Amino acid sequence: MALLSIADALKSAIAEEMRRDPLVFCLGEDVDIPGGMGGAFTVTKGLGEEFGYERVLNTPISEIMLAGVCVGSAMMGMRPVADLQYGDFLFCMMDQLVNQAAKMCYMSGGKVHVPMVMRAPCGASNRGAQHAQSLEGFFTHVPGLKVICPSTAYDAKGLMKQAIRDDNPVLVFEHKLLYGGKRKEKDAISTIGEVPEEDYTIEFGKAAVRREGKDITIVANLLMNYKALEAAQILEQEGISCEVIDPRTLVPFDYETVVNSLKKTGRLMIVHEDNYNCGWGAQLGSWIAENQIFLLDAPIVRVATYDTPIPFSPVLENYVIPSKERIVEEARKLMKV
Amino acid sequence: MSKLPEKERMLGMYRQMYLIRKYEERIYYLFLEGIMPGTIHQSTGQEACAVGMLYDLRKDDYMASTHRPAGHDLAKGVTLTSMMCEMFGKEDGCCRGKGGAMHTGDMEVGALVANAIVGGNMPISAGVALAFKMMKKDNVIVCFFGDGATNEGAFHESLNAAAIWKLPVIYVCENNLYSATTSIALTCNKPNPAADRAIAYDIPAEVVDGNDVLKVNEAATRAIARARTGEGPTVIELKTYRHGGHSRNDACQYRPKEEEKAWFDRDPVKNFRSYLLSQKLVAEEELQTIEKSIESDVDQAVEYAQNAPFPQIESALTDVYWEGK
Ligand SMILES: Cc1ncc(C[n+]2csc(CCOP(=O)(O)OP(=O)(O)O)c2C)c(N)n1
Ligand SMILES: [Mg+2]
């Protein structure tokens, strides 16, 4: 076992896959300039030295090209792992991702596939509205894309390896406040955790139960999973027992683990930093309503970022994004229903 | 402003450059002390670009900036206090705390909210210019962008549109040789990433020493005249250099030391100061008085901003849609 931050776990996953398979390569703006940062969050720092700058491509600032080069090279059998610096720039490459990458396999009648990985740092961190969004829900709406969101070092490594080996386009949402690398972010959470030295992968579509409980099922991803765990601790002292589930991947989604939990609790709360309207919680909530409504003893509650762009001012940012206090309050209300 | 006597013009430019220098310096230390939230991309070293380009714009002309906006905003006339308040996320900020360091601006003085998407301000500027043309106004817009932005599709699409429609827009590339940590030489085969490509779109282009405020101002004068009289766009590529890292988190260890030294010796503020003295346009004591007063303005702005109230938290939910005044 090694003790790694998420940033280092991702790095070791990419490096091991590059050692294992010569077709894997990584690319992006500033991915690894000697003396530079290694992407915006240190993940790819040092890879150029080991693998050479033919396999670690520092690209121009050209997001359409970046995504398109992934699509084209992947169709020819390469396995690109691209770094976007900030997930907000996904919108700069929408055509190549959504009209091209996501549809190639289908449009060709299953004759081509696009094994590419797009890494998108997400989450609010006092940088203002264009460097803050949590877009994972947005992309769950696109058939043909897989969407994953690791929140621990163990998951980051196992899921990243799985993403690189997957034969489809995979979007990886990595939370800025969870990297835990050398780059210090205000309000960051330390994610240093045990990661096996030997090769392992984590299957997509398998949620993790982070805490067991019997009164409320809380499904929360990325940073919000940590806030839900903090809230669960407070609620426990009040006699409210929360089961906290981390979906880990949104497409595919593990409904079964949620259903099994609801069989115990009968109460569902969904927490995400993505905003409320049509976030991934809306999908989960309606799926439960459609398929398992009789498991519910109370209405479903969604705690999400309010439907605004992310404001800069720390007081405003803290207000629009779900806090542990808001989770606690909503949980208390839910127990009174 | 161009009608001002020589000395006043020169001192006016120096004042603005010195203000930008001191503003960025104070912010740098406020960040280091952990007092200021967020991140920051500073324009120290690039003051002559902002001041030279914008000095002769009218108040009702426009300017569009980037993730590195402070110099541009101050030169366009956004107030020091409202800038500083925005940096602290305060209600009195130019964007009422909602924008932050990468989105400062003020429509009252023709400074569009700065754009943190590289290249994002370029099509918008073409649109602003198109509106001027369609509404038969003689206004112009100056759109700033970096060397790195020239590799975005948005750059190419905007230049082409500006050319075919002869739009009153001046596209100003501040070529500081790096996009974040990447040397422009690694990402563009041409020595002048903006100017060399402008030619392909049939737009006249100039390459200018961006550390010489007077040279920048002369190029600006030509381009503004062209735009105002309906002759269409100009591309100006300013060779310059940032003195610090790309952003707060960048220790800047990828630039050759000799290159840094050569550029630091060509400090636009210090050199313009020496020039003013050598031309006997102003006496040393007068400059010192000006500098002291600017320093005290910056101190006061910091003091004001630190004590100013945060926005009411409920205000986070307003302004998502325009609700009228
Ligand atoms: C579309 C987009 N891609 C990437 C980034 C991340 N980013 C911010 S600034 C920057 C470098 C910009 O370089 P340049 O255009 O030369 O401007 P400079 O920072 O040198 O002023 C990058 C890559 C971004 N903000 N927007
Ligand atoms: Mg640059």
Side-chain angles (χ1 to χ4, degrees):
Chain A
M1 288 280 176
L3 280 177
L4 297 182
S5 65
I6 286 188
D8 290 337
L10 291 168
K11 190 202 306 279
S12 78
I14 297 170
E16 285 179 25
E17 290 304 291
M18 287 179 78
R19 280 176 215 133
R20 188 185 59 78
D21 180 352
L23 297 173
V24 178
F25 70 107
C26 66
L27 70 168
E29 296 150 22
D30 308 291
V31 271
D32 192 21
I33 296 284
M37 294 180 275
F41 298 95
T42 73
V43 172
T44 44
K45 193 170 169 67
L47 294 180
E49 204 179 324
E50 177 174 353
F51 299 103
Y53 292 94
E54 304 273 304
R55 282 179 80 193
V56 179
L57 297 174
N58 290 296
T59 67
I61 313 180
S62 311
E63 285 76 17
I64 299 172
M65 178 280 286
L66 178 63
V69 156
C70 288
V71 177
S73 63
M75 280 165 49
M76 294 298 111
M78 299 293 290
R79 292 190 171 265
V81 182
D83 174 1
L84 197 51
Q85 298 199 338
Y86 291 85
D88 309 71
F89 314 149
L90 282 164
F91 291 133
C92 300
M93 53 170 65
M94 276 307 251
D95 170 62
Q96 291 296 323
L97 273 183
V98 178
N99 289 328
Q100 315 297 345
K103 296 175 177 48
M104 278 301 157
C105 180
Y106 193 83
M107 290 192 301
S108 68
K111 290 190 179 152
V112 275
H113 61 285
V114 184
M116 62 179 270
V117 174
M118 185 61 67
R119 298 183 33 240
C122 65
S125 59
N126 277 176
R127 286 177 166 88
Q130 293 176 339
H131 285 68
Q133 296 166 90
S134 292
L135 297 173
E136 61 271 23
F138 207 102
F139 288 88
T140 62
H141 192 64
V142 181
L145 298 179
K146 294 190 180 179
V147 179
I148 70 173
C149 45
S151 73
T152 67
Y154 176 84
D155 287 359
K157 183 161 179 186
L159 288 170
M160 176 55 76
K161 285 187 156 222
Q162 182 67 34
I164 294 171
R165 295 180 197 185
D166 198 291
D167 280 327
N168 294 284
V170 180
L171 261 65
V172 187
F173 286 90
E174 306 166 359
H175 201 289
K176 295 177 200 112
L177 301 188
L178 297 181
Y179 276 119
K182 286 180 198 72
R183 188 169 167 167
K184 295 275 175 295
E185 292 288 323
K186 200 176 136 280
D187 301 327
I189 288 178
S190 166
T191 51
I192 291 182
E194 292 203 337
V195 175
E197 315 261 5
E198 61 275 13
D199 186 38
Y200 71 101
T201 58
I202 298 171
E203 200 186 329
F204 290 175
K206 296 280 178 226
V209 178
R210 301 284 185 213
R211 177 191 172 108
E212 295 194 5
K214 56 184 179 24
D215 297 325
I216 301 178
T217 299
I218 304 182
V219 187
N221 71 328
L222 291 168
L223 181 67
M224 290 302 130
N225 195 271
Y226 289 87
K227 299 219 170 161
L229 287 168
E230 287 173 29
Q233 255 178 14
I234 298 170
L235 290 160
E236 182 178 36
Q237 285 153 21
E238 302 173 12
I240 301 173
S241 155
C242 298
E243 178 139 312
V244 179
I245 295 173
D246 180 348
R248 305 205 284 188
T249 69
L250 297 179
V251 179
F253 195 92
D254 179 4
Y255 293 108
E256 196 186 333
T257 298
V258 179
V259 168
N260 288 340
S261 175
L262 286 175
K263 285 179 184 157
K264 287 193 289 185
T265 64
R267 285 180 162 78
L268 176 59
M269 176 187 284
I270 303 162
V271 189
H272 54 60
E273 189 173 326
D274 192 358
N275 58 284
Y276 178 82
N277 200 1
C278 296
W280 61 260
Q283 166 62 21
L284 172 57
S286 22
W287 192 96
I288 295 292
E290 280 174 351
N291 297 286
Q292 295 288 352
I293 198 161
F294 299 114
L295 289 181
L296 295 176
D297 297 328
I300 296 163
V301 174
R302 284 184 285 150
V303 181
T305 295
Y306 297 129
D307 287 323
T308 74
I310 304 297
F312 164 70
S313 185
V315 292
L316 302 184
E317 189 186 273
N318 290 340
Y319 174 65
V320 299
I321 287 167
S323 58
K324 71 167 184 270
E325 290 78 14
R326 214 162 110 200
I327 300 170
V328 167
E329 200 178 310
E330 292 296 331
R332 285 182 191 138
K333 278 196 246 164
L334 183 56
M335 286 313 291
K336 292 196 183 112
V337 179
Chain B
M1 277 197 238
S2 46
K3 286 174 206 86
L4 289 177
E6 171 92 337
K7 176 177 171 183
E8 268 169 67
R9 252 183 86 69
M10 296 284 172
L11 282 186
M13 288 196 218
Y14 183 71
R15 254 192 214 99
Q16 289 191 0
M17 288 172 70
Y18 195 76
L19 170 63
I20 297 167
R21 177 63 58 96
K22 288 293 141 179
Y23 173 89
E24 294 285 40
E25 222 170 75
R26 275 310 294 273
I27 282 180
Y28 181 74
Y29 288 113
L30 289 163
F31 269 109
L32 281 189
E33 292 163 38
I35 296 171
M36 191 169 264
T39 187
I40 177 82
H41 304 81
Q42 303 207 277
S43 57
T44 310
Q46 305 183 190
E47 296 88 348
C49 303
V51 174
M53 279 311 307
L54 299 176
Y55 197 68
D56 291 313
L57 277 196
R58 302 197 312 234
K59 193 173 169 188
D60 63 348
D61 289 327
Y62 279 80
M63 177 284 291
S65 184
T66 66
H67 56 283
R68 201 179 296 291
H72 306 149
D73 280 324
L74 290 169
K76 189 67 180 73
V78 183
T79 67
L80 172 59
T81 313
S82 76
M83 290 284 290
M84 199 59 88
C85 285
E86 191 63 29
M87 298 299 296
F88 279 101
K90 299 297 178 78
E91 171 70 23
D92 287 347
C94 50
C95 301
R96 300 182 54 216
K98 283 179 175 159
M102 289 193 269
H103 303 294
T104 46
D106 184 353
M107 288 299 267
E108 299 277 315
V109 297
L112 297 188
V113 169
N115 207 307
I117 300 298
V118 168
N121 61 349
M122 300 193 69
I124 295 174
S125 297
V128 170
L130 178 65
F132 293 153
K133 193 177 166 192
M134 295 177 82
M135 295 161 95
K136 307 217 182 322
K137 293 184 175 173
D138 73 343
N139 294 104
V140 306
I141 178 163
V142 169
C143 175
F144 289 101
F145 55 97
D147 45 288
T150 64
N151 289 325
E152 286 280 14
F155 166 88
H156 296 271
E157 297 179 29
S158 306
L159 257 61
N160 190 49
I164 58 170
W165 291 329
K166 283 201 165 199
L167 298 179
V169 53
I170 301 154
Y171 282 114
V172 180
C173 178
E174 285 176 89
N175 184 349
N176 59 11
L177 311 188
Y178 292 85
S179 60
T181 66
T182 304
S183 159
I184 186 64
L186 284 178
T187 61
C188 177
N189 279 354
K190 287 286 195 181
N192 307 303
D196 291 345
R197 285 141 144 183
I199 297 161
Y201 296 103
D202 198 24
I203 298 181
E206 287 194 55
V207 178
V208 178
D209 177 357
N211 280 17
D212 181 335
V213 69
L214 298 180
K215 293 237 170 67
V216 176
N217 188 248
E218 285 162 20
T221 306
R222 289 188 285 274
I224 294 168
R226 271 176 52 77
R228 254 202 236 299
T229 52
E231 286 177 65
T234 306
V235 167
I236 299 177
E237 180 165 336
L238 303 174
K239 303 288 189 189
T240 185
Y241 207 71
R242 60 172 149 72
H243 281 191
H246 168 65
S247 63
R248 180 173 59 126
N249 290 293
D250 173 16
C252 206
Q253 283 162 359
Y254 44 84
R255 301 193 301 196
K257 290 290 160 260
E258 319 78 70
E259 178 187 281
E260 286 191 336
K261 169 142 194 345
W263 278 96
F264 294 166
D265 286 345
R266 304 182 44 217
D267 183 317
V269 181
K270 287 192 187 140
N271 286 358
F272 189 45
R273 189 184 202 280
S274 311
Y275 172 83
L276 293 178
L277 290 172
S278 70
Q279 296 296 302
K280 307 224 181 324
L281 277 165
V282 58
E284 173 67 31
E285 304 76 64
E286 195 177 346
L287 276 182
Q288 285 183 11
T289 313
I290 290 172
E291 289 164 354
K292 284 228 175 61
S293 108
I294 289 171
E295 285 158 28
S296 114
D297 289 349
V298 174
D299 287 343
Q300 278 173 32
V302 173
E303 167 106 10
Y304 180 91
Q306 281 190 284
N307 294 318
F310 280 108
Q312 297 288 317
I313 51 173
E314 297 77 24
S315 77
L317 305 180
T318 62
D319 300 325
V320 180
Y321 299 95
W322 174 257
E323 284 154 15
K325 281 233 167 154

